[in-house]
Amino acid sequence: MSKERARRRAEREAERARQAALRAEREAKLARRRALVGRVTALLPRRPVRIVTQGGIIARRRRAQNGAVALLFAVTQVIVWLLWSSWMARFGAFVLSLLFVPLFVTLVFDRRS
């Protein structure tokens, strides 16, 4: 009876040793993989920091207003480009548009008055 128990104990210990060897091999493989990934990612450029935009109603309104101004500016430039073939006229319209955009924004979107 004691020989049988000794044999089973030896089998259990052998199985534990085999499991420990497998676990050590997996951990070593994982450590090698992590080291390789670390070396590769060190070579890659870092991602820029993401800028979080405000989500309030005032921020959304401001973004909508800026989008409307940019769209109006682009539409104006396309119309001028299509109507006039003179480069001086196109350039003059561009400069005037740049000068009138702040005036337009102040007159239309200013809420202080």
Side-chain angles (χ1 to χ4, degrees):
M1 187 75 162
S2 64
K3 288 182 181 180
E4 181 66 24
R5 271 191 289 165
R7 185 185 59 79
R8 282 186 283 179
R9 184 182 329 124
E11 288 175 358
R12 284 193 307 266
E13 288 176 359
E15 180 64 25
R16 283 188 197 127
R18 189 177 67 80
Q19 293 293 334
L22 287 174
R23 190 176 325 111
E25 184 180 333
R26 273 186 302 213
E27 289 173 0
K29 185 177 180 181
L30 185 62
R32 285 192 307 270
R33 176 177 283 156
R34 284 182 181 153
L36 177 66
V37 168
R39 287 192 305 264
V40 170
T41 54
L43 297 175
L44 297 175
R46 292 187 180 263
R47 288 189 331 181
V49 176
R50 182 173 178 265
I51 298 173
V52 179
T53 59
Q54 295 291 324
I57 190 164
I58 295 173
R60 277 185 268 142
R61 184 183 305 149
R62 175 65 61 171
R63 281 193 298 273
Q65 290 172 356
N66 290 343
V69 169
L71 182 67
L72 185 64
F73 180 80
V75 167
T76 304
Q77 295 307 309
V78 168
I79 290 173
V80 166
W81 184 271
L82 293 175
L83 291 180
W84 291 321
S85 60
S86 168
W87 284 97
M88 288 301 290
R90 291 174 180 172
F91 181 71
F94 177 73
V95 170
L96 284 176
S97 295
L98 285 178
L99 292 174
F100 282 122
V101 163
L103 178 67
F104 173 76
V105 169
T106 303
L107 289 176
V108 174
F109 297 128
D110 190 25
R111 302 202 190 294
R112 286 180 281 181
S113 57

